[in-house]
Structures are given as structure tokens and as C-alpha cells.
């Protein structure tokens, strides 16, 4: 998709909107999740799973498929949504997010089709992607590429630069890194807490070819990935630096680190969907009722065993643990 | 019984066996973080340059790359010093290897006190404890050259992560040709009634020596070798506990969480008896030649025999477990004495 047609652009934007809506729905119902980082990468994932990557749900184990490594694995909701929308598993399964035997808060390799990497400790994904890319080469697999999505805050991690060094050293031009440069980390702005700019210059100095794009413009994203493919075989790994907005689409959440790890309450989620509808000129609704779960915690378990209480079902709408105007979710 | 010490250090056997396995398995890859002449992975590098991946002085990256390759169906042997695998890159070993249970065989060289003159930054008296605590990871410390070679063949045939120790030590020949290693299997090297001495790695040689000394004074000591710390041979431990009623462990490791810890975990649950652990106390392995370290930290046959003798005495007197504390404290103080430091 070098130059997507207007229809294709509309389809990709629809997909990005659906990713955000689904994330909002199952993060709210789980009472935990990363809204900001999921919203900033929505268009990137919509494009990757909407035509850029060579992946096929029916052949999820095909060795010649492309691999996607979500190094910023806390933003797993958008990936789960993208995989479900692409048909890797039923959309219903998204409701198991953060439940026992369900989809992990951070990705777990092999837990469901399409998840290639166990993550959660920032900085580790790009090294892993190096290994995958080297493995392709050693196995004479010249068809596959590995795409690795990292955060701009994640570039604080020294290991990112170890991996940047080795990717250039081994001339891994089958590796495409993507920086979701949403400018905000868990507790504040990247520029204030630990600046990483200028990222393009840094990667270039390490021997990479940087391409900078507006990470919410699917046309630019497609063109960048097309160029990344075109640049292959020149020996330099490519990094697509996608300038994005953390929490993009909901003005209250945009560039707001409060929404790094935070689940909205059902009323907040309704308000967020209204904001999304307004931003993107739509009129969509949630496909299921929202209910914030409750966790009775240690007290519930102990008192239940002694016959003094009961363990609340996390799937029912309880009001236990609500903070006024806030959510019941844990905030990291 | 006098043991013959191999002229070939364990690490040389490690390098040679990698070459041997490399010839048998085309999907075996060796990864290095700028230590290949020390670890002897250079032997593999010279024979199979295309399957040797240099990762530079970057251990986090080393284990990440090893994991990514393993995810593509390769069996990877990333190798660095035990200190850097267990301490510096622990998070990567956990998140990228142990948690997804990938086929990565981690060789920790210069383990325990065997970084010798490098001193406390490179000696690593905690790798067994750290690796044993990780999910899915099997933890091994070979006793001699044949066992190391057999161990590597067995791990090649067994999917999943393994941590195994390698050192530059010339180990005694504990086992005859044809010795076969198995996960979770220990070996009774010497029968005995009064006490059992349990060793792992090359320290089993010290246990055999101590048993010889004890024999001279009429104490019958069994000697067991535990190359597999996780899983550990619970049956053998239960039998030794039942038959002797007193166990002393000895290891090239701190007394916390290694062999002594593993043995105590099993016996406390299955067959509670006196267990005493010898190893490094709450201190570090200083810089010195190996023989000086062994003597300084009282990891010698004579020191082990003394500990065993004391334990046998207490067992004979039927000293209750509650009164044990004073004895134990005295002994631990002796092992924890640090070398005098010069400013």
C-alpha cells in the first residue's frame, strides 16, 4: 500500500477507531489497562495489521510470516484489539483481558494467536527482534520481516541502544523498528523526565535509516512502511519515528500521563467515547454494557473462608472500591 | 580412594562439547559477550563461524538476542560469566527466556569463587540461588568432565531453559566412561551409616576427601553428588536422611539458596534431620588463587570432616533441634571471616 486509495484510507481509519473503542470497552471492564499508549499506537497497528504486514490468521504459525514484537508491552490492549479485528481470535475474547486464563496485562508469547513475544520489562524487545531477524537470515528466510514497536520513553533504557548497535552491526535490514513517540511516559513528559530527542539523529548515528512521520496519518504511515521495504537490502535497519499523541482522540487524555495506566469508570468511558465520536466525526456506541469490576482482595478471601462474607464476582458491577469520580482500577 | 585430576579444565570440555554438538545439530547457535577465549566458546567460533554470534559487551542484548533466535527454532547457548548472567542480566533472563520457556542453555562460566583473582565483582556466589528461583529453569553444576559433556548432550535433547555452571577448574574424575547425566538424578559415590556428605560441582571432591578422613577415625560417611540442583533427587535425599540422620552439604556458592538450601527444603518437608550447609557465609569471595580461597573459606576436606564430626556427635548425644542454634552460629562465623582488607 504505497498510496492507499481513499477507500483504503477510510478502512484504516475505521480500524483505528475500532481499536480505540474496543480498548476503552475492555479496559473499563477489566478495571486496569493503558489507555494513553494504546490510543497513540492505534493508527500504527491499524496499518500494520491492515495490509502492511504479511500475516494471515489462518496460518498464524507460517514460518514465513512477518513478526510483530510489541516491546512497549503495556500497550497490549491496542494489539489485542488489532489482532481480534484481523481475525486472529474472536472479539469476545477481549473481555478476558486481565482475567485468570485470559489475555495478560502485558503480552505473553503463545497465549493467543499472533502474540510473538513475552514483554513487560521495557527495553528488551528490540534485542529480541535482533534475534528474530538474525534467525530469519540464518534460516534463509528472506521473505519475513520483523517489526518492533518501542516507546520514546522506552528509549531511556540503555538496552535499546545496545540493540540499535547490534542491529546496525549485523546489517539487519529485515528489522524495522517503530518508535511510538507520544512524548509522555508514565509520570510526566519525556522531555522533562529524561529527554531522548533528537531520536532520528541518534538512530542515524547508530547506523540506522530514520523516517519521521505523523503517527496518526495512515497515508503517511503506509508511505513510510513502503519506503522501509524499498530501502531493504541496503544493509541499514530502518526506524520509523512516528510522532503521536498519547491518549489521542480524547482531549482530556491527550498528553496526560494520568491516563498512562488508568482504567476509566463506566461513566468516564461513556464520556471518552463521546469525545472520540466528536474527534473523528462518528456516532458509535459500545457493543456491550460496561461494568467496573471489584476486587475484594485479601479481606474478601479471608472473610469468605471464615464464613463472614463472600467473594464478589469480578464480572459483576459492584461499587466496592470506587474512589469518588475515579476508577476502581489500579493506577501504577 | 585417591582421585585422578583431569589435565583438562571443565571449560575446555565445554568448548569441545559445543563443537561436538554443533556437528550433530545444525540449529545450535553459540552467542558470546566478548569472553570467548575465557569461556572457550572460541573453539565453536573457529569451527562454526557462521553459527557463532558476537553480541559485544552487552549482556542484556546477549540474552535478548538468544531468546529471539530460540523463538525461531534455534537452540541457543549464550555464554558469559555467571556474575553477568545471574546478576547483570537477570531481568532479561527472566522475561525473555524463563517466562516464555524458550530453548536457551545458559552457560555461567567463572562461577562461584572460580573467577579467583578477579575478586568479588566477578566471583559469583549467588547464581544457583538466583537461577533456582526462576520459573522453568533447570539448574546444574557438573562434577567432572564426563558429566559436563553428558549434561550438554542431555540438555540438547530436552526443550526449555537450562542454567549450567562452567569453570576453569581441573576437576577430579568422579565417573567412569559412559557416565550418563539425568535431570533430577543424584549419585551415591560412597556408602556410609553415620552421616552423609553432599556435594555439587567440583566440591564433591572435597566431600570425598572428608569421607576418607572420617573413615580413618571410624566415622562412616556416605558421599552423594548432586549435579542437578533443580530438579533435585528427592528420593536419594530422603534415603540419605533416613539412613544416616545427618547431612552436611558443601558448595562453591553462598550458603543461601544453593545446594544447602535445596537439600534443606526437601528434608524439612520429607524427612527432617540435622542439615548443615558449608559454603560461603554472608560475605564475598575475595581475590586470590583458588587454593587460598578454598583454605580461607574453610572449604577443605579437613574443615568439612570437622563439621561432620561435630554433627555426628550431636546426633549421638541426641541433642534436640532447639539447642542446635549455638553450634551452628559458631561454625557460620568461622566461614564468614573475611580476608583482611588493605585500604
Amino acid at each position: 500500500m504505497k498510496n492507499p486509495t481513499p477507500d483504503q484510507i477510510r478502512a484504516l481509519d475505521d480500524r483505528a477507531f475500532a481499536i480505540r473503542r474496543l480498548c476503552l470497552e475492555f479496559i473499563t471492564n477489566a478495571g486496569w489497562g493503558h489507555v494513553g499508549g494504546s490510543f497513540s499506537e492505534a493508527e500504527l497497528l491499524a496499518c500494520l495489521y491492515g495490509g502492511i504486514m504479511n500475516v494471515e490468521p489462518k496460518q498464524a504459525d507460517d514460518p514465513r510470516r512477518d513478526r510483530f514484537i510489541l516491546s512497549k508491552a503495556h500497550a497490549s490492549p491496542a494489539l489485542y484489539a488489532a489482532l481480534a479485528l484481523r481475525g486472529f481470535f474472536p472479539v469476545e475474547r477481549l473481555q478476558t483481558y486481565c482475567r485468570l486464563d485470559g489475555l495478560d496485562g502485558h503480552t505473553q508469547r503463545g497465549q493467543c494467536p499472533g502474540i510473538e513475544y513475552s514483554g513487560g520489562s521495557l527495553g528488551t524487545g528490540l534485542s529480541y527482534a535482533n534475534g528474530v531477524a538474525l534467525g530469519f537470515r540464518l534460516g534463509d528466510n528472506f521473505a519475513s520481516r520483523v517489526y518492533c514497536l518501542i516507546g520514546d520513553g522506552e528509549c531511556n533504557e540503555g538496552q535499546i541502544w545496545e540493540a540499535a548497535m547490534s542491529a546496525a552491526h549485523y546489517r539487519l535490514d529485515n528489522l524495522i523498528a517503530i518508535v511510538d513517540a507520544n512524548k509522555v511516559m508514565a509520570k510526566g513528559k519525556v522531555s522533562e523526565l529524561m529527554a531522548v530527542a533528537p531520536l532520528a539523529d541518534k538512530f542515524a548515528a547508530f547506523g540506522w535509516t530514520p523516517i519521521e512521520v505523523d503517527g496518526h496519518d495512515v497515508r503517511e504511515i503506509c508511505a513510510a512502511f513502503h519506503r522501509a521495504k524499498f530501502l531493504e537490502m541496503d544493509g541499514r535497519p530502518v526506524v520509523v519515528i512516528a510522532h503521536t499523541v498519547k491518549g489521542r482522540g480524547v482531549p482530556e487524555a491527550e498528553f496526560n500521563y494520568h491516563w498512562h495506566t488508568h482504567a476509566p469508570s463506566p461513566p468516564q468511558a461513556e464520556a471518552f467515547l463521546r469525545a472520540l465520536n466528536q474527534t473523528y466525526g462518528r456516532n458509535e456506541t459500545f457493543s456491550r454494557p460496561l461494568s467496573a469490576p471489584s476486587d475484594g482482595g485479601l479481606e474478601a478471601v479471608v472473610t469468605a473462608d471464615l464464613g463472614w462474607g463472600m467473594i464478589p464476582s469480578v464480572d459483576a458491577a459492584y461499587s466496592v472500591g470506587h474512589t469518588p469520580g475515579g476508577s476502581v482500577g489500579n493506577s501504577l | 580412594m585417591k582421585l585422578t585430576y583431569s589435565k583438562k579444565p571443565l571449560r575446555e570440555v565445554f568448548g569441545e562439547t559445543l563443537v561436538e554438538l554443533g556437528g550433530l545439530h545444525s540449529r545450535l547457535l553459540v552467542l558470546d559477550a566478548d569472553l570467548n577465549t575465557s569461556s572457550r566458546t572460541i573453539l565453536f567460533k573457529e569451527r562454526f563461524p557462521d553459527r557463532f554470534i558476537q553480541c559485544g559487551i552487552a549482556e542484556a542484548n546477549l540474552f535478548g538476542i538468544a531468546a529471539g533466535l530460540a523463538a525461531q527454532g534455534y537452540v541457543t547457548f549464550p555464554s558469559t560469566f555467571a556474575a553477568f548472567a545471574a546478576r547483570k542480566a537477570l531481568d532479561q533472563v527472566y522475561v525473555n527466556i524463563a517466562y516464555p520457556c524458550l530453548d536457551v542453555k545458559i552457560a555461567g562460566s567463572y562461577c562461584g569463587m572460580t573467577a579467583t583473582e578477579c575478586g568479588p565483582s566477578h566471583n559469583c556466589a549467588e547464581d544457583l540461588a538466583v537461577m533456582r528461583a526462576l520459573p522453568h529453569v533447570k539448574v546444574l553444576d557438573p562434577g567432572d568432565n564426563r558429566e559436563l559433556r553428558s549434561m550438554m548432550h542431555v540438555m540438547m535433547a530436552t526443550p526449555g531453559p537450562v542454567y549450567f555452571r562452567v569453570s576453569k577448574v581441573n576437576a577430579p574424575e568422579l565417573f567412569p566412561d559412559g557416565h550418563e547425566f539425568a535431570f533430577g538424578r543424584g549419585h551415591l559415590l560412597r556408602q556410609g551409616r553415620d552421616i552423609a556428605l553432599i556435594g555439587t560441582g567440583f566440591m564433591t571432591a572435597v566431600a570425598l576427601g572428608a569421607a576418607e578422613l572420617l573413615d580413618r577415625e571410624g566415622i562412616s560417611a556416605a558421599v552423594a553428588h548432586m549435579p542437578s540442583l533443580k530438579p533435585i533427587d528427592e528420593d536419594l535425599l530422603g534415603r540419605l536422611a533416613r539412613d544416616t540422620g545427618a547431612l552436611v552439604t558443601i558448595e562453591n556458592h553462598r550458603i543461601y539458596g544453593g545446594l544447602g538450601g535445596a537439600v534443606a527444603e526437601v528434608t524439612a518437608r520429607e524427612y527432617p534431620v540435622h542439615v548443615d550447609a558449608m559454603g560461603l557465609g554472608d560475605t564475598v569471595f575475595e581475590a586470590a588463587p583458588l587454593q587460598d580461597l578454598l583454605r580461607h573459606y574453610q572449604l577443605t576436606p579437613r574443615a568439612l570432616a570437622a563439621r561432620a564430626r561435630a554433627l555426628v556427635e550431636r546426633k549421638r548425644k541426641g541433642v534436640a533441634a532447639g539447642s542446635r542454634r549455638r553450634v551452628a552460629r559458631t561454625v557460620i562465623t568461622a566461614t564468614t571471616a573475611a580476608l583482611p582488607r588493605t585500604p
Side-chain angles (χ1 to χ4, degrees):
Chain A
M1 283 198 293
K2 182 184 178 185
N3 292 308
T5 63
D7 279 353
Q8 286 173 320
I9 288 171
R10 203 170 308 118
L12 292 172
D13 283 335
D14 286 351
R15 195 180 283 254
F17 189 90
I19 287 173
R20 289 191 176 89
R21 185 181 57 78
L22 286 169
C23 285
L24 209 46
E25 196 174 277
F26 68 81
I27 287 175
T28 303
N29 284 341
W32 191 86
H34 292 74
V35 174
S38 292
F39 282 15
S40 61
E41 70 191 14
E43 277 79 13
L44 291 166
L45 289 169
C47 292
L48 287 166
Y49 285 95
I52 299 294
M53 282 201 304
N54 174 30
V55 287
E56 190 49 59
K58 289 200 181 81
Q59 286 134 8
D61 295 328
D62 180 358
R64 298 176 79 77
R65 71 190 184 279
D66 288 341
R67 310 296 201 280
F68 179 70
I69 308 299
L70 184 65
S71 190
K72 44 170 289 196
H74 56 274
S76 62
L79 175 57
Y80 293 139
L83 287 169
L85 290 167
R86 184 73 175 76
F88 279 86
F89 52 83
V91 174
E92 287 303 307
R93 192 164 168 186
L94 295 173
Q95 295 303 315
T96 69
Y97 176 64
C98 292
R99 295 281 192 276
L100 276 177
D101 300 324
L103 300 169
D104 263 26
H106 296 81
T107 58
Q108 181 172 156
R109 179 173 186 265
Q111 188 173 58
C112 62
I115 297 293
E116 307 274 3
Y117 165 72
S118 293
S121 174
L122 290 176
T124 61
L126 195 56
S127 298
Y128 189 92
N130 267 240
V132 173
L134 276 166
F136 290 159
R137 184 177 296 169
L138 287 164
D140 290 334
N141 175 356
F142 299 106
S144 299
R145 293 181 190 82
V146 52
Y147 294 82
C148 179
L149 181 58
I150 62 181
D152 52 353
E154 189 179 4
C155 292
N156 287 177
E157 291 276 5
Q159 193 183 347
I160 291 292
W161 303 101
E162 291 182 8
M165 204 181 310
S166 55
H169 177 80
Y170 283 108
R171 303 175 67 81
L172 298 178
D173 50 17
N174 52 354
L175 164 63
I176 297 164
I178 308 149
V179 183
D180 176 8
N182 63 27
K183 318 295 182 289
V184 176
M185 37 215 265
K187 305 299 172 198
K189 290 181 184 167
V190 178
S191 60
E192 289 173 4
L193 299 191
M194 187 51 67
V196 296
L199 270 180
D201 291 352
K202 284 191 172 81
F203 274 101
F206 273 75
W208 290 56
T209 301
I211 304 173
E212 296 196 73
V213 297
D214 173 347
H216 297 301
D217 183 330
V218 296
R219 195 192 319 249
E220 276 195 35
I221 295 169
C222 288
F225 285 126
H226 177 81
R227 206 181 137 211
K229 288 182 191 178
F230 181 71
L231 284 168
E232 260 188 70
M233 311 306 290
D234 79 341
R236 288 167 70 96
V238 174
V239 56
V240 174
I241 297 168
H243 294 283
T244 58
V245 176
K246 190 151 187 157
R248 165 76 176 179
V250 176
E252 184 198 325
E254 288 188 357
F255 293 133
N256 182 352
Y257 71 85
H258 174 72
W259 290 102
H260 172 78
T261 317
H262 209 81
S265 65
Q268 279 175 319
E270 295 286 358
F272 276 23
L273 184 60
R274 281 195 297 276
L276 284 176
N277 278 329
Q278 197 160 0
T279 304
Y280 296 103
R282 286 158 200 263
N283 189 24
E284 296 198 20
T285 54
F286 290 121
S287 53
R288 67 189 64 245
L290 300 180
S291 63
S294 83
D295 180 357
L298 174 66
E299 185 182 353
V301 172
V302 173
T303 55
D305 272 15
L306 293 168
W308 296 333
M310 58 180 284
I311 298 178
S313 159
V314 288
D315 293 319
Y318 282 83
S319 59
V320 184
H322 267 295
T323 48
S327 84
V328 295
N330 300 316
S331 186
L332 266 182
Chain B
M1 184 185 69
K2 198 152 187 258
L3 293 169
T4 311
Y5 284 77
S6 172
K7 294 275 177 289
K8 193 182 280 182
L10 284 156
R11 63 178 178 183
E12 207 64 28
V13 177
F14 167 62
E16 289 173 3
T17 310
L18 281 178
V19 172
E20 184 188 338
L21 290 169
L24 296 170
H25 305 276
S26 62
R27 300 190 75 76
L28 185 155
L29 305 174
V30 174
L31 290 84
D32 178 42
D34 191 32
L35 289 171
N36 59 68
T37 58
S38 309
S39 65
R40 305 310 292 158
T41 54
I42 188 166
L43 301 178
F44 186 92
K45 179 190 176 187
E46 285 167 349
R47 179 71 181 75
F48 301 108
D50 295 344
R51 288 194 273 144
F52 177 88
I53 298 165
Q54 179 57 257
C55 297
I57 309 169
E59 290 77 12
N61 204 28
L62 168 79
F63 290 107
I65 292 176
L69 285 161
Q72 301 312 305
Y74 292 95
V75 181
T76 56
F77 281 75
S79 165
T80 180
F81 288 176
F84 309 140
R87 296 202 301 250
K88 190 184 259 188
L90 174 60
D91 182 51
Q92 285 75 14
V93 171
Y94 170 77
V95 177
N96 294 152
I97 296 168
Y99 162 39
C101 203
L102 287 170
D103 218 356
V104 180
K105 321 298 183 189
I106 303 166
S109 59
Y110 285 47
C111 59
M113 69 185 101
T114 68
T116 58
E117 292 85 350
C118 295
S121 64
H122 285 54
N123 282 321
C124 182
E126 46 282 312
D127 56 335
L128 299 177
V130 164
M131 293 296 177
R132 234 164 50 80
L134 298 184
H136 310 135
V137 180
K138 295 184 168 72
V139 180
L140 317 174
D141 193 356
D144 77 357
N145 291 357
R146 291 190 180 97
E147 188 165 67
L148 173 58
R149 178 172 170 271
S150 170
M151 188 178 272
M152 290 172 67
H153 278 266
V154 171
M155 70 178 75
M156 238 354 252
T158 314
V162 173
Y163 175 78
F164 66 111
R165 285 179 129 190
V166 182
S167 66
K168 57 185 177 182
V169 168
N170 293 86
E173 292 178 7
L174 296 180
F175 299 104
D177 261 339
H179 169 69
E180 282 184 16
F181 167 84
F183 289 115
R185 191 201 293 161
H187 302 275
L188 187 62
L189 301 182
R190 182 178 174 130
Q191 304 277 354
R193 297 178 311 274
D194 300 326
I195 192 162
L197 312 179
I198 303 171
T200 187
F202 59 81
M203 295 304 280
T204 298
V206 176
L208 283 166
E212 196 77 32
L213 291 177
L214 290 166
D215 187 56
R216 290 178 195 169
E217 51 188 279
I219 296 173
S220 163
V223 176
H225 172 60
M226 292 287 174
S228 176
L229 286 111
K230 184 186 163 200
I232 198 162
D233 193 336
E234 300 202 0
D235 290 344
L236 179 56
L237 288 177
R239 256 188 296 143
L240 292 170
R242 191 188 61 221
D243 295 350
T244 67
L247 312 177
V248 186
T249 61
I250 185 158
E251 61 197 301
N252 169 29
H253 189 267
R254 201 166 284 111
I255 53 174
Y256 310 124
L259 175 67
V263 168
E265 284 162 20
V266 174
T267 54
R269 185 181 69 232
E270 298 296 330
Y271 205 97
V273 292
H274 293 287
V275 178
D276 206 352
M278 285 186 81
L280 181 67
D282 194 14
T283 182
V284 297
F285 279 128
E286 297 286 350
L290 183 61
Q291 60 175 29
D292 293 354
L293 292 172
L294 287 166
R295 290 220 178 93
H296 176 74
Y297 295 103
Q298 300 185 33
L299 298 170
T300 59
R302 203 176 289 178
L304 175 54
R307 281 277 274 276
R309 194 182 305 120
L311 198 56
V312 169
E313 278 306 304
R314 284 180 39 239
K315 190 185 76 168
R316 280 185 183 149
K317 287 180 189 160
V319 178
S323 63
R324 180 163 185 267
R325 195 167 292 160
R326 231 180 65 216
V327 180
R329 192 176 293 155
T330 330
V331 185
I332 287 174
T333 312
T335 7
T336 49
L339 284 175
R341 286 169 185 276
T342 44

